[in-house]
Amino acid sequence: MLFRLPPTRAEHYSPLYFLAALGAGGLTVSFFMWLMFWLPHPSIPVPTFDALYKVLIQGSLFQRFILLAGGVGVALFAYLHFRLLVWNLLSYREFRVSPSYQSLRSSNDEVQLLAAPLALAMSVNVCFIVSLVFIPGVWSVVEWLFPLATLAMLAIGGWAMALLKDYWGRVLTEGGFDVERNNSFAQLLPAFALAMVAVGLSAPAAMSQHTGTAVLSLILSSFFMMMAIIIGAVKLILGLRDMLIQGANPEAAPTLWVVVPIITVLTIALVRQTHGIDHHLGEGAGGIATFSMLTNLLAVQVAFTLLGWVVLRRHRYFARFVTGPERSPGSYTLVCPGVALAVMLHFFINLALAKNGAIVPKGAVYWGLSLVAVTIQAATIWLVWTLNRKHFDPDNLPAFQATAN
């Protein structure tokens, strides 16, 4: 995962490679879940350097192991995220002046451009996590960080909306949408990007002590959340209809799982909003029943996971595009569902079950269920390692070697 990245030309590049950076950022979040739910951080909602340092000095051997493993995981995948992000931004700059870019802007694949703001929105979340874990005293200035993070998310959300303006404006005024190439859920990528912006904007609602900051967070995150839901619902129905008529596109089959990460980020946004509403506007003032919400949305994720697995297996996707000889940038779509399921399980176990007394916190059932999340996380790490070797290791890519020469 840490080998040198290859040089690229526009003809070798796809905006879907931003999903590689997105996946690494998602794994950063998955390791942060270890610190969030398995280590003590009394009086504050998230683990910080100062709380983690106390664990290092006073914690049990198991807690210190979790701290070390989780901290290394956060650092490693944050580094990989930013490395891949920089590589993508440099490659994207070349791609924008190529004929391939102009061709993409006039086709269904124009939605792939939303992978860039999607990855950048994840970067804001990764920056926040890294700051919490590795910078002493950061919580004392967090109220100053929230406005900066909000402005960054609004800028990214504005970029995403501008890309959607061009796409929807072209399609709805000129036509040209190719329904024969819509036999996948690839068109859900804009919903994913807007949902990622929404979850970033919802963070102050859950953590800020200032009512004004929290309410602004609730309003802004709700806007992007509703946009994601509307676009997602429309494209979900259209994509499913075209797949029923034509069958799923074999190369785009992983998009059947893109619903899973969309639901996870929207769920986290709703959990944050619920906490903010209860804390600032009075308990029960429109809050969502966390247990029911997490249980129902997890069930939807499992349903789409099973549906996607049926199609992927029949197309032999893993044997062809993951461990086999065929290469597709869309393979990185597989990383997001693994991360999303692992993170969602942590929220379900801790906020739906343990917090409501359904299971004993840190008991046998608790750790048994947590092991499921860790197993999914481990499988996703293997997937990232396998795909990165296949797509980015110059020693495996004759075309990139030729480019370098």
Side-chain angles (χ1 to χ4, degrees), residues 99-248:
S100 299
Y101 176 78
Q102 299 304 323
S103 175
L104 181 141
R105 290 298 297 258
S106 60
S107 70
N108 290 15
D109 293 339
E110 188 175 1
V111 295
Q112 293 181 7
L113 298 177
L114 273 294
L118 172 60
L120 282 175
M122 174 61 81
S123 295
V124 177
N125 294 323
V126 172
C127 285
F128 188 64
I129 287 174
V130 170
S131 298
L132 288 174
V133 174
F134 296 109
I135 299 179
V138 71
W139 195 252
S140 63
V141 296
V142 73
E143 295 292 349
W144 295 95
L145 297 180
F146 286 142
L148 296 177
T150 298
L151 289 175
M153 278 294 183
L154 285 176
I156 295 168
W159 181 22
M161 296 290 286
L163 292 173
L164 278 175
K165 172 183 67 69
D166 293 341
Y167 175 64
W168 284 94
R170 173 178 65 82
V171 170
L172 294 179
T173 58
E174 303 173 12
F177 184 78
D178 190 350
V179 295
E180 294 184 1
R181 297 186 61 244
N182 191 43
N183 52 338
S184 70
F185 284 158
Q187 295 292 315
L188 286 174
L189 190 59
F192 192 6
L194 295 177
M196 188 65 71
V197 173
V199 77
L201 288 171
S202 68
M207 290 179 273
S208 177
Q209 296 301 311
H210 294 290
T211 300
T213 301
V215 170
L216 180 63
S217 170
L218 288 166
I219 295 171
L220 294 175
S221 61
S222 293
F223 171 77
F224 283 96
M225 190 188 311
M226 290 302 104
M227 288 291 295
I229 291 172
I230 292 169
I231 293 173
V234 171
K235 291 301 185 179
L236 182 70
I237 294 171
L238 292 177
L240 184 59
R241 183 201 64 180
D242 292 332
M243 281 189 283
L244 290 174
I245 295 172
Q246 306 170 51

Side-chain angles (χ1 to χ4, degrees), residues 41-73:
H41 42 92
S43 73
I44 51 176
V46 290
T48 63
F49 176 89
D50 303 280
L52 296 175
Y53 183 74
K54 290 182 180 179
V55 172
L56 181 64
I57 300 300
Q58 305 172 2
S60 65
L61 183 62
F62 175 73
Q63 289 178 330
R64 292 176 182 178
F65 169 77
I66 294 300
L67 173 58
L68 177 62
V72 169

Side-chain angles (χ1 to χ4, degrees), residues 148-368:
L148 296 177
T150 298
L151 289 175
M153 278 294 183
L154 285 176
I156 295 168
W159 181 22
M161 296 290 286
L163 292 173
L164 278 175
K165 172 183 67 69
D166 293 341
Y167 175 64
W168 284 94
R170 173 178 65 82
V171 170
L172 294 179
T173 58
E174 303 173 12
F177 184 78
D178 190 350
V179 295
E180 294 184 1
R181 297 186 61 244
N182 191 43
N183 52 338
S184 70
F185 284 158
Q187 295 292 315
L188 286 174
L189 190 59
F192 192 6
L194 295 177
M196 188 65 71
V197 173
V199 77
L201 288 171
S202 68
M207 290 179 273
S208 177
Q209 296 301 311
H210 294 290
T211 300
T213 301
V215 170
L216 180 63
S217 170
L218 288 166
I219 295 171
L220 294 175
S221 61
S222 293
F223 171 77
F224 283 96
M225 190 188 311
M226 290 302 104
M227 288 291 295
I229 291 172
I230 292 169
I231 293 173
V234 171
K235 291 301 185 179
L236 182 70
I237 294 171
L238 292 177
L240 184 59
R241 183 201 64 180
D242 292 332
M243 281 189 283
L244 290 174
I245 295 172
Q246 306 170 51
N249 182 335
E251 188 172 347
T255 61
L256 288 168
W257 279 352
V258 77
V259 176
V260 175
I262 292 175
I263 289 177
T264 290
V265 293
L266 288 177
T267 300
I268 295 173
L270 286 169
V271 168
R272 288 173 169 179
Q273 286 193 341
T274 300
H275 181 81
I277 290 171
D278 289 346
H279 180 71
H280 291 282
L281 303 180
E283 187 171 357
I288 302 170
T290 304
F291 178 86
S292 297
M293 177 183 69
L294 288 169
T295 303
N296 292 333
L297 292 177
L298 179 60
V300 174
Q301 288 182 308
V302 172
F304 275 97
T305 299
L306 294 175
L307 174 64
W309 177 255
V310 170
V311 177
L312 288 165
R313 187 175 181 184
R314 288 192 174 231
H315 280 309
R316 299 181 59 252
Y317 188 89
F318 285 90
R320 292 170 57 188
F321 292 98
V322 177
T323 59
E326 298 181 66
R327 297 175 66 250
S328 171
S331 299
Y332 279 97
T333 309
L334 295 170
V335 177
C336 302
V339 170
L341 270 180
V343 171
M344 185 71 159
L345 280 171
H346 282 296
F347 275 88
F348 176 71
I349 294 164
N350 288 276
L351 299 186
L353 299 181
K355 188 175 181 179
N356 290 297
I359 61 174
V360 178
K362 308 299 190 295
V365 175
Y366 177 95
W367 289 118

